[in-house]
Amino acid sequence: MATEQHSDAGVPDWWRGLGLPGLIDLHVHFLPERMERRVWHHFAHGGPLMGDGWKIQYEWPVEERLARLRAMGVRRFPALAYAHKPDMAADLNAWTMEFARRTPECLPSATFYPEPGVVGYVRRALEEGAKIFKMHLQVGGFDPRAPELDEVWGLLAESGVPVVVHASAVPVPGGYVGAEPIGQVLRGHPRLRAVIAHLGMPEYDPFFELAARYERVALDTTMTFTDFAEAGMPFPARLRPALRDLGLAGKVVLGSDFPTIPHAYAHQLDALARLDLGDEWLRSVCWRNGAAMI
């Protein structure tokens, strides 16, 4: 791709040049319209959970967003939603599962919150074919070690379904973030297929340690290495060999945060390519590892 930070037109040529059939992006968001508008408002105006916020690149109607993903060749993606208070998750799951039913490329996805009934609706989502879950410890502000969630973690570990976990202090500190809370969950459920969002940015080191320690723990690339991220939360050069090894071992997957990003989608791919970790690494991260996980 001829460094198209301001255009996505070159994305198909980029993945074809790697010999791939497209892209698998495991960190994409679609939400019910009213909720989407509220989220976008927070990103645009900033606040206690956002810091200064940023201008969203793809603040478009849903069909236009889907058309862009299809035009770029993103073959599989979820509609990640996350609950931040009680009595939200079950309704969100009904919406995301229905969205996936009418969107062929979309993975059925679900979320959960520590509350009465959580085991029942997580089990129901699994029975209905959920392929990926999402939890956001910074926005949700809850402890992943909450007793209501212990059986949920067991169910998910047994199923092998991945859980994308936002567990780091990005964009701002808050909630039960850091490697220790989710690390304690993993000590109790070492077979859990946790996918650490944003490579754990900015606390890269301890999350890389979790990925190295636990067979099924992986990291997603969401927003990492982009000009935006490198300006404030640069990736440490000392971890580049570990990043390469983890990617080739199936433990790094492509994530973008589309549509709620301050740059073109193409720039995320440019940012990965300029790491110069090799075409095999890019093939693994942008397709093979995600395909194996879902």
Side-chain angles (χ1 to χ4, degrees):
M1 184 164 45
T3 310
E4 295 196 50
Q5 287 188 225
H6 306 294
S7 168
D8 297 325
V11 170
D13 286 341
W14 186 84
W15 52 255
R16 287 191 190 105
L18 291 169
L20 293 177
L23 302 170
I24 296 175
D25 185 339
L26 294 186
H27 199 131
V28 170
H29 298 284
F30 285 90
L31 299 170
E33 186 177 353
R34 285 181 59 200
M35 180 178 289
E36 192 95 79
R37 286 200 303 268
R38 289 199 299 271
V39 169
W40 286 352
H41 178 86
H42 286 304
F43 274 85
H45 294 88
L49 295 178
M50 275 303 306
D52 293 335
W54 59 74
K55 178 175 170 52
I56 297 167
Q57 184 77 18
Y58 299 95
E59 195 172 340
W60 301 349
V62 61
E63 289 304 326
E64 291 182 26
R65 283 178 274 143
L66 288 171
R68 177 56 59 95
L69 289 172
R70 289 165 178 153
M72 292 188 298
V74 183
R75 305 298 186 205
R76 299 293 275 163
F77 57 86
L80 297 182
Y82 44 88
H84 65 274
K85 60 183 181 180
D87 300 320
M88 267 185 87
D91 288 343
L92 279 175
N93 292 350
W95 189 93
T96 52
M97 297 292 280
E98 174 56 30
F99 185 86
R101 279 190 281 272
R102 64 177 188 268
T103 309
E105 305 90 343
C106 187
L107 297 164
S109 61
T111 187
F112 52 93
Y113 190 86
E115 60 186 331
V118 59
V119 174
Y121 66 67
V122 167
R123 183 179 283 115
R124 184 162 61 251
L126 289 169
E127 290 169 352
E128 291 176 358
K131 297 293 186 185
I132 190 167
F133 282 72
K134 166 72 179 204
M135 62 179 300
H136 201 308
L137 296 177
Q138 188 245 7
V139 172
F142 62 85
D143 191 335
R145 300 161 295 191
E148 299 96 323
L149 296 182
D150 190 59
E151 189 174 348
V152 169
W153 295 126
L155 283 172
L156 294 174
E158 183 179 352
S159 73
V161 171
V163 187
V164 176
V165 182
H166 185 124
S168 61
V170 60
V172 294
Y176 289 84
V177 299
E180 183 56 26
I182 193 65
Q184 286 191 28
V185 170
L186 286 163
R187 285 197 285 277
H189 303 279
R191 296 285 293 161
L192 183 67
R193 197 179 295 279
V195 180
I196 304 299
H198 308 280
L199 299 183
M201 174 171 66
E203 303 117 308
Y204 297 102
D205 289 89
F207 287 108
F208 268 61
E209 290 171 12
L210 289 180
R213 184 180 311 144
Y214 293 99
E215 179 187 357
R216 286 172 143 185
V217 172
L219 308 159
D220 82 30
T221 66
T222 302
M223 291 185 69
T224 54
F225 315 112
T226 63
D227 293 348
F228 181 88
E230 287 294 292
M233 293 169 281
F235 184 79
R238 67 179 176 278
L239 288 178
R240 286 169 64 93
L243 177 67
R244 183 179 185 277
D245 292 347
L246 288 170
L248 293 174
K251 296 169 77 68
V252 180
V253 295
L254 176 64
S256 68
D257 241 349
F258 180 92
T260 322
I261 47 179
H263 49 254
Y265 192 98
H267 180 46
Q268 178 71 77
L269 302 177
D270 284 329
L272 297 178
R274 70 189 182 189
L275 292 169
D276 199 25
L277 296 178
D279 287 355
E280 192 65 18
W281 186 85
L282 289 171
R283 283 190 281 267
S284 297
V285 170
C286 295
W287 182 270
R288 292 175 185 164
N289 298 348
M293 198 173 290
I294 60 175

